[in-house]
């Protein structure tokens, strides 16, 4: 793996690692039983802030493309993910969701021409097995709606990853702009559902606000920028194999910050899942290229905006 690819993989992996902190922040800092409101607060403020920072709006067919990608990566993914987490026992939602690499392998074959290999399929199965050993607790009652929601959330994010890769970006538009469009679109799609299902927003104290600031800036704006940036430079399959880092990070945070014990079988699962993640990053025989050259272009103005965004984020505080 050359140095440039190593840097790209490392930065993209930070997105999945960041998402692994979501459970800790949600349970320790945020109001209880408001998953849709939390999803909206993660996406909409971050999306509007990025649009204000970059001062770019979609043009032409990118209006509907931004809405479709926002729905797949945010608007449908968040509610389905939360629904599965509430209805399934233990870490079963994470286990069902860990089939993402297999979803992407199939969709990438259909829409990107990335033919799945036996190695990628076996690696995807190993990743799901490793995650199951880490997070699956005592069995509970089977819930069909929960399982369907978990599969739907994984399929939604996988489809979003594949179509983000297929459509690339408009000429002169970098991943920071595209991230803002999708977060804003996804947040706007969640907002009416959140108010209809959960009612008026809850009263927020300083601790709640700090949690939402972290989720919106670090866990969403920066993390999704890194994720979409990685999609533009890696194969869709390689990107999605970084997904298991999220539940692994959540388990490590639970052990370090919440005193949750890690049994030997969980440590074995971590080793298997991490090994599958590394195996999923093996360079393809023909290095993947973006759908068009614009998918890798960055404007100097956006680079400056990104540096400003990262500086602000560094001073701020289920996937």
């Amino acid at each position: 793996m050359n140095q440039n690819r190593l840097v790209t993989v490392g930065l993209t992996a930070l997105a999945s690692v960041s998402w692994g902190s979501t459970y800790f922040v949600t349970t320790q800092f945020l109001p209880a039983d408001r998953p849709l409101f939390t999803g909206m607060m993660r996406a909409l403020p971050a999306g509007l802030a990025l649009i204000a920072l970059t001062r770019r709006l979609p043009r032409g067919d990118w209006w509907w493309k931004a809405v479709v990608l926002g729905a797949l990566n945010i608007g449908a993914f968040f509610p389905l993910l939360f629904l599965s987490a509430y209805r399934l026992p233990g870490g079963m939602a994470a286990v069902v969701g860990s089939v993402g690499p297999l979803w992407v392998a199939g969709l990438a074959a259909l829409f990107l021409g990335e033919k799945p290999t036996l190695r990628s399929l076996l690696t995807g199965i190993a990743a799901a097995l490793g995650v199951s050993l880490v997070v699956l607790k005592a069995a509970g009652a089977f819930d069909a709606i929960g399982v369907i929601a978990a599969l739907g959330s994984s399929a939604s994010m996988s489809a979003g990853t594949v179509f983000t890769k297929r459509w690339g970006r408009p000429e002169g538009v970098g991943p920071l702009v595209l991230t803002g469009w999708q977060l804003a679109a996804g947040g706007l799609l969640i907002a009416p559902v959140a108010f209809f299902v959960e009612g008026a927003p809850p009263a927020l104290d300083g601790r709640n606000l700090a949690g939402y600031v972290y989720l919106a800036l670090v866990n969403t704006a920066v993390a999704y920028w890194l994720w979409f940036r990685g999609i533009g430079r890696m194969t869709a399959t390689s990107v999605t194999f970084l997904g298991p880092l999220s539940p692994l990070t959540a388990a490590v945070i639970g052990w370090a910050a919440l005193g949750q014990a890690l049994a030997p079988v969980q440590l074995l699962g971590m080793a298997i899942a991490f090994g599958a993640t590394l195996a999923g990053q093996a360079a393809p025989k023909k290095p993947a290229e973006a759908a068009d050259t614009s998918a890798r272009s960055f404007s100097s103005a956006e680079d400056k905006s990104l540096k400003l965004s990262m500086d602000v984020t560094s001073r701020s505080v289920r996937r």
Side-chain angles (χ1 to χ4, degrees), residues 13-38:
L14 288 178
S16 193
V17 170
S18 172
W19 294 332
S21 68
T22 303
Y23 175 79
F24 172 77
V25 174
T26 299
T27 57
Q28 302 300 310
F29 287 84
L30 304 183
D33 301 324
R34 302 305 294 265
L36 293 175
F37 177 76
T38 295

Side-chain angles (χ1 to χ4, degrees), residues 172-236:
V173 169
L176 194 66
V177 174
L178 185 63
T179 300
W181 294 350
Q182 294 189 53
L183 290 176
L188 288 172
L189 291 172
I190 296 174
V193 180
F195 289 123
F196 178 77
V197 174
E198 298 178 349
L204 303 178
D205 58 23
R207 188 177 183 84
N208 301 151
L209 291 173
Y212 282 126
V213 167
Y214 169 81
L215 287 183
L217 290 180
V218 179
N219 189 266
T220 303
V222 174
Y224 271 94
W225 166 73
L226 291 172
W227 190 254
F228 295 140
R229 176 183 179 275
I231 291 173
R233 301 182 178 205
M234 302 162 59
T235 66

